[in-house]
Amino acid sequence: MNKGVYLALLSIGLAQGVKIPIHYFKKKEWRPELFFGTGGMPSSHSAGVSTLTTYIALQRGLPTFDFALSLVYGLIVMYDAQGVRRQTGELTLRVNSMNDLIEKIQKEESLEYKQEAPKKLKEVLGHQPEEVVGGALFGVLVGIVGHFMTKKDRKLSKFKLRF
């Protein structure tokens, strides 16, 4: 794998980790399971693609094919994170509330009804626009830092023997 991939994956992991203290400061509730969840501030999807795009731009330049590909891919991912996935999450909220209503109606009936209760759907799937922007800015920062760190590695690698 190349350094751009490592940086993008690192950025995704860092963005997921940052969600825990941000949630704590907002809600005064410690939830380490947010590391493995979707949604929330910052968007790790946006952070990952922004890191990769920034790193490619700084390493290879803006007029390159790989930058163009990364930029277009990143924009699609960010649009999807706040568009389609967010709408799916809102639809899920409505489905879950309908299920709660049906359960209340069934409890009031005198007929015995045996059915395994359906599992609630996960309600936080997508991102608010500000979460996508937050992830994108986070990713740009990681991409810039990664570029300067690998720049130093390249200077040092000139003096190493390659086998």
Side-chain angles (χ1 to χ4, degrees), residues 60-81:
R60 309 257 308 163
L62 297 178
T64 60
F65 179 75
D66 42 355
F67 169 75
L69 183 63
S70 182
L71 178 66
V72 170
Y73 166 72
L75 291 173
I76 291 169
V77 167
M78 289 188 277
Y79 175 80
D80 180 63

Side-chain angles (χ1 to χ4, degrees), residues 17-110:
V18 166
K19 290 178 184 185
I20 299 166
I22 288 175
H23 180 82
Y24 180 78
F25 287 117
K26 281 179 156 180
K27 307 273 184 171
K28 301 296 181 214
E29 176 183 45
W30 189 251
R31 293 190 47 212
E33 70 273 10
L34 291 175
F35 184 83
F36 299 103
T38 59
M41 174 65 113
S43 165
S44 58
H45 294 86
S46 297
V49 295
S50 295
T51 295
L52 183 59
T53 302
T54 302
Y55 181 76
I56 290 170
L58 295 172
Q59 292 287 104
R60 309 257 308 163
L62 297 178
T64 60
F65 179 75
D66 42 355
F67 169 75
L69 183 63
S70 182
L71 178 66
V72 170
Y73 166 72
L75 291 173
I76 291 169
V77 167
M78 289 188 277
Y79 175 80
D80 180 63
Q82 69 92 31
V84 176
R85 291 178 64 239
R86 182 172 159 220
Q87 292 299 316
T88 304
E90 289 178 12
L91 179 62
T92 302
L93 283 169
R94 291 190 176 134
V95 168
N96 284 341
S97 65
M98 283 176 45
N99 188 40
D100 292 341
L101 180 61
I102 290 169
E103 284 179 13
K104 286 179 185 177
I105 292 169
Q106 287 176 351
K107 287 180 183 178
E108 293 176 10
E109 290 183 11
S110 60

Side-chain angles (χ1 to χ4, degrees), residues 13 20 32 45 48 53 91 120 125 128 130 136 139 152 154 159:
I20 299 166
H45 294 86
T53 302
L91 179 62
K120 277 198 167 206
L125 296 174
Q128 299 293 328
E130 61 270 12
K152 291 177 185 175
R154 281 193 282 161
F159 300 105

Side-chain angles (χ1 to χ4, degrees), residues 4-24:
V5 173
Y6 288 134
L7 283 171
L9 293 174
L10 174 67
S11 181
I12 290 168
L14 289 173
Q16 285 296 107
V18 166
K19 290 178 184 185
I20 299 166
I22 288 175
H23 180 82
Y24 180 78

Side-chain angles (χ1 to χ4, degrees), residues 112-132:
E112 188 173 322
Y113 180 74
K114 291 185 180 183
Q115 180 182 359
E116 192 173 306
K119 293 180 183 176
K120 277 198 167 206
L121 300 171
K122 188 171 183 175
E123 295 176 351
V124 180
L125 296 174
H127 293 281
Q128 299 293 328
E130 61 270 12
E131 295 169 344
V132 172

